[in-house]
Amino acid sequence: MAPNDSTQIADEDKGPGAGRRKAARYALPVAVAGVAAATIGLVPALAASGDPELPKISAQQLIEKIAASDTEQLSGSVKITTDLGLPLDGLSGAADAFVPKGGEGGKDSSAAPSDKLMELSSGTHTLRVAADGPDKQRVSIKENAAEYSLIHNGNELWAYDSASNQAYHEASPKGAPKDEKGAPSSEGKPSVTPQEFAQQALKAAGDTTSVSVDGTSRVAGRDAYQLLIKPKQAGSTVGSIKVAVDAETGTPLKFTLTPSSGGKAIVDVGFTKVDFAKPAASTFDFAPPKGAKVTRSEDAVKGGSDKHDAREGRKSPMIPSVPGGAAAFGDGDLKVIGKGWNAIYELKAPGGAGAPTSSKPKSGEEGMPAEAQGLIDSLGDKVSGKFGSGTVFQTRLVNALMTDDGKVYVGAVTKDALVKAADQAK
């Protein structure tokens, strides 16, 4: 087992910075969701006697190994487990309380990725993945007897849900953003593979971060080094991030994010099987099955669908946007308080309104249904300080404070850190 070796990553350190830029280039742009996004099991233990004996390597060398990896072709199975601490069971029914009678309750007949892949934000899922360079990827989610597949081939994106026999199609328009390899840009898309999660973690490595080598492990039958990333600041909800890096190729094989509060991981993404051979070209072929209901991207926006040939060009982004990020909480005027892992975003709540309350609505205003208000109250904690009063909505990773005067403070920090930030901003 390789001895621990640590290094502190500084913003001005040109070596790691160059490594992170290379890491961003090598990441496989698999177009799928969920998040956080954002990252199995219990807190990873130190390497045991059964772990592989590998040559000594420093944290700096391991980061450079990840950056230098040229893995663009692979296939295999990925297990992703997510536990944000949200009471998701039964929320779909409770959410109907927000919809006026006669409404559709948000139901959508399309197989759009932004809808289906949100399921990855909770529970455990098994994915089959394949990639052949930046413009060919396939991800399939197996759930019971059904399968949901997302296929990216050149300028086309197909999604198919076998349970409902529905398909979704997009084609990148002329002038769509491209990455440095000429493939459609993956900016703004959610992460799903260990490579993508590792890329995001390395981007966060700065003078507020400690990075070390934490022994070795075996992942998907392959020898791996373990890179340990930890915030040096107190107050973050992130305890540590552990990345298992393939000793031969430098490809991240597993990513585990553990909260500072302890307990099981918030997000764990790892290969259970992996093959670095070139996948068959047919892996990325797709045509809607006979009788399938096909929704085009512009139809999904309008709320309609048809069964026309969906192989025509579409004037829509290659990768549909997924709700997320700090901007999803408000109307702009974004301010950043603090830095690194303790960065807190201050913004205005949608419409300038504060957290919903059960108080009697003013004349002309529509009151919130009792079921919906009960849900809001169960999810939030009332707090007060120099800023006034408000409600903190918590998960195991990202927390948000919505003040009664319509401001929102959000970040991967504790409740106390949010209240402190609101007091200082007053």
Side-chain angles (χ1 to χ4, degrees):
M1 177 177 71
N4 291 356
D5 185 277
S6 63
T7 184
Q8 306 302 321
I9 306 299
D11 286 336
E12 65 272 18
D13 191 338
K14 296 180 180 180
R20 290 192 293 274
R21 288 192 294 271
K22 293 179 182 177
R25 291 197 294 268
Y26 101 95
L28 299 173
V30 183
V32 294
V35 154
T39 77
I40 203 181
L42 302 176
V43 177
L46 293 176
S49 58
D51 293 329
E53 294 283 349
L54 296 173
K56 295 180 181 180
I57 190 170
S58 69
Q60 176 64 40
Q61 290 171 326
L62 189 52
I63 290 174
E64 292 174 352
K65 189 176 184 69
I66 296 173
S69 175
D70 59 357
T71 301
E72 290 191 341
Q73 299 172 334
L74 62 76
S75 60
S77 297
V78 173
K79 181 180 180 181
I80 177 170
T81 299
T82 310
D83 182 6
L84 292 172
L86 292 170
L88 297 175
D89 293 339
L91 280 188
S92 59
D96 288 340
F98 291 92
V99 181
K101 291 183 178 181
E104 291 298 321
K107 295 179 181 178
D108 189 350
S109 62
S110 85
S114 58
D115 300 329
K116 183 67 177 180
L117 295 176
M118 284 303 292
E119 296 176 7
L120 296 181
S121 63
S122 67
T124 298
H125 305 269
T126 299
L127 287 64
R128 290 188 294 110
V129 303
D132 184 7
D135 58 355
K136 289 185 178 182
Q137 297 91 31
R138 183 180 186 122
V139 177
S140 298
I141 307 172
K142 188 74 173 179
E143 297 290 353
N144 299 320
E147 182 173 282
Y148 181 86
S149 295
L150 189 64
I151 306 99
H152 168 214
N153 193 341
N155 70 334
E156 290 193 294
L157 177 72
W158 280 99
Y160 177 67
D161 182 8
S162 67
S164 60
N165 195 28
Q166 295 184 37
Y168 176 89
H169 177 263
E170 286 195 11
S172 58
K174 293 182 179 179
K178 303 283 186 179
D179 63 19
E180 59 187 33
K181 294 184 178 181
S185 173
S186 59
E187 183 177 355
K189 74 176 184 58
S191 304
V192 72
T193 66
Q195 296 99 311
E196 292 171 321
F197 280 102
Q199 176 193 352
Q200 296 302 317
L202 289 173
K203 283 182 180 179
D207 60 357
T208 62
T209 305
S210 172
V211 182
S212 63
V213 177
D214 190 28
T216 65
S217 63
R218 292 275 294 175
V219 179
R222 298 184 65 87
D223 293 348
Y225 292 104
Q226 296 198 114
L227 186 68
L228 182 64
I229 303 170
K230 300 182 70 174
K232 291 195 291 185
Q233 302 164 297
S236 174
T237 54
V238 177
S240 68
I241 293 173
K242 186 170 287 190
V243 182
V245 182
D246 187 76
E248 179 182 350
T249 67
T251 304
L253 298 176
K254 189 175 182 181
F255 178 98
T256 304
L257 187 154
T258 305
S260 57
S261 58
K264 60 184 178 180
I266 295 175
V267 181
D268 177 273
V269 183
F271 283 99
T272 56
K273 296 180 181 179
V274 65
D275 184 350
F276 293 106
K278 178 184 176 71
S282 59
T283 302
F284 311 103
D285 293 337
F286 179 80
K290 184 177 181 180
K293 180 181 180 181
V294 176
T295 300
R296 300 174 297 182
S297 57
E298 62 267 35
D299 293 331
V301 172
K302 297 175 183 177
S305 62
D306 60 26
K307 292 188 179 182
H308 294 170
D309 185 354
R311 278 166 270 196
E312 301 174 9
R314 307 298 175 205
K315 296 180 180 180
S316 59
M318 181 63 209
I319 305 301
S321 60
V322 178
F329 287 88
D331 292 334
D333 297 329
L334 183 68
K335 297 180 181 179
V336 181
I337 302 172
K339 67 175 184 175
W341 301 90
N342 284 8
I344 296 173
Y345 299 90
E346 176 190 346
L347 57 162
K348 293 180 181 179
T357 66
S358 56
S359 59
K360 186 177 180 180
K362 297 178 182 179
S363 178
E365 292 183 348
E366 184 178 351
M368 176 173 287
E371 297 90 340
Q373 184 61 54
L375 178 62
I376 292 293
D377 292 341
S378 68
L379 294 177
D381 294 332
K382 299 295 183 181
V383 295
S384 61
K386 295 179 182 179
F387 69 90
S389 59
T391 304
V392 172
F393 299 94
Q394 300 186 76
T395 72
R396 299 178 69 215
L397 180 60
V398 178
N399 298 323
L401 165 60
M402 182 177 288
T403 67
D404 292 343
D405 61 359
K407 289 186 178 180
V408 176
Y409 300 86
V410 59
V413 297
T414 62
K415 177 172 70 175
D416 291 342
L418 290 174
V419 172
K420 182 178 179 179
D423 283 342
Q424 293 176 342
K426 192 64 179 177

